[in-house]
């Protein structure tokens, strides 16, 4: 008969208890370290916000015979046009407006949705009205050249698909309330100068909102904007005849 000492038994028991404690601790650690599911940032899964107009784009039929469709591509200032600016029915018979402005967007985001929200809609004219949020750095700091490249990309996509191009000046802004201290006034002047020159070189229509709306500081006056960036109805009232004339000029070249 093999004899087992009391010390040996005690040692085995101690090891077993220790192992059990380790297993329990490991289980507890696994339980407490499982990550909690977080809501996914839509900018990580759909940076250009293609979902915003996808269903509307799919549902929109091709232009009817004789219809001249005009798509407005831009940011919140374009988006606001649908509520405060261009009337639902354009003043010219046979012309229809399609607003594809998304608040906060920058030109690189617009380039990525240009096929879906402009080209696939088969417009006669596209109005490209952007750049404010590039200067504000909404999706990160950008050089003027990067913004210019994105204007070129959108305009060339339109031109390659037989769409007439209208390029708009950026509205004046002395400061951005959501990004103060970026001194946008002179940057806007410089970028507008480039947009105007590029439009002339390529034979595109240029619409100059800036000159009709700027105040002595290089911003928007309080009569036209509450926050110094987004137009009030009075601001859109200044813009409407200018864009209508620009679109008419572009359609005449179609």
């Amino acid at each position: 008969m093999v004899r087992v000492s009391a010390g040996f038994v005690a040692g085995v028991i101690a090891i077993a208890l220790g192992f059990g404690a380790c297993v329990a601790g490991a289980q507890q650690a696994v339980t407490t370290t499982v990550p909690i599911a977080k809501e996914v940032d839509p900018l990580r899964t759909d940076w250009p916000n293609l979902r915003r107009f996808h269903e509307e784009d799919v549902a929109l039929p091709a232009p009817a015979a004789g219809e001249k469709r005009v798509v407005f591509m831009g940011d919140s200032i374009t988006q606001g046009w649908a509520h405060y600016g261009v009337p639902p029915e354009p003043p010219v018979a046979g012309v229809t407006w399609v607003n594809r402005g998304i608040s906060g967007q920058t030109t690189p985001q617009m380039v990525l949705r240009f096929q879906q929200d402009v080209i696939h809609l088969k417009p006669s004219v596209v109005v490209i009205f952007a750049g404010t949020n590039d200067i504000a750095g909404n999706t990160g700091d950008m050089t003027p050249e990067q913004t210019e490249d994105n204007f070129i990309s959108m305009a060339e996509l339109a031109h390659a698909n037989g769409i007439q191009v209208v390029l708009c000046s950026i509205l004046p802004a002395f400061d951005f309330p959501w990004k103060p201290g970026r001194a946008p006034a002179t940057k806007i002047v410089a970028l507008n100068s480039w947009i105007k020159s590029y439009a002339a070189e390529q034979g595109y229509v240029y619409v100059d909102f800036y000159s009709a709306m700027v105040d002595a500081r290089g911003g928007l006056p309080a009569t036209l904007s509450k926050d110094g960036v987004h137009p009030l109805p009075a601001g859109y009232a200044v813009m409407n005849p200018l864009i209508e004339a620009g679109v008419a000029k572009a359609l005449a070249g179609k």
Side-chain angles (χ1 to χ4, degrees):
M1 180 178 178
V2 177
R3 303 181 66 179
V4 179
S5 69
F8 177 82
V9 172
V12 171
I13 293 173
I15 292 171
L17 290 174
F19 178 77
C22 289
V23 171
Q27 290 175 334
Q28 183 180 13
V30 170
T31 302
T32 56
T33 57
V34 171
I36 299 172
K38 295 182 179 179
E39 185 175 347
V40 178
D41 181 357
L43 288 179
R44 293 176 63 87
T45 57
D46 184 16
W47 191 69
N49 203 354
L50 292 169
R51 68 168 62 88
R52 171 63 182 85
F53 289 114
H54 174 70
E55 291 185 3
E56 294 176 46
D57 291 341
V58 171
L60 187 68
E67 177 187 350
K68 302 295 184 181
R69 179 173 291 170
V70 181
V71 175
F72 288 73
M73 168 59 78
D75 49 37
S76 58
I77 300 173
T78 297
Q79 180 180 318
W81 234 327
H83 304 289
Y84 306 114
V86 174
E89 295 299 326
V92 180
V95 176
T96 57
W97 305 132
V98 179
N99 192 308
R100 290 297 180 261
I102 297 181
S103 178
Q105 281 216 327
T106 55
T107 58
Q109 292 174 300
M110 295 177 202
V111 169
L112 292 176
R113 65 184 181 92
F114 202 82
Q115 287 279 357
Q116 173 187 287
D117 291 345
V118 178
I119 306 299
H120 292 176
L121 306 186
K122 303 185 183 303
S124 298
V125 175
V126 61
V127 176
I128 301 173
F129 185 21
T132 295
N133 294 322
D134 290 33
I135 295 172
N138 277 20
T139 53
D141 288 338
M142 294 179 60
T143 66
E145 292 77 18
Q146 289 170 332
T147 298
E148 292 163 10
D149 286 345
N150 292 328
F151 271 100
I152 292 170
S153 294
M154 289 188 280
E156 289 185 347
L157 277 170
H159 181 72
N161 285 274
I163 301 168
Q164 296 294 313
V165 177
V166 175
L167 298 178
C168 301
S169 71
I170 302 170
L171 297 191
F174 181 75
D175 202 5
F176 299 132
W178 70 97
K179 284 283 188 76
R182 293 184 72 89
T186 57
K187 298 173 186 175
I188 291 171
V189 170
L191 192 51
N192 281 342
S193 177
W194 178 87
I195 296 171
K196 182 178 181 179
S197 296
Y198 174 68
E201 291 169 4
Q202 301 299 318
Y204 302 145
V205 175
Y206 176 70
V207 175
D208 183 9
F209 297 132
Y210 182 92
S211 298
M213 302 176 77
V214 67
D215 65 14
R217 299 191 309 163
L220 279 174
T223 54
L224 301 181
S225 174
K226 185 176 181 179
D227 65 357
V229 176
H230 301 90
L232 292 167
Y236 285 111
V238 174
M239 296 162 65
N240 283 346
L242 298 175
I243 197 61
E244 289 166 7
V247 168
K249 185 176 180 181
L251 287 171
K254 183 71 175 175

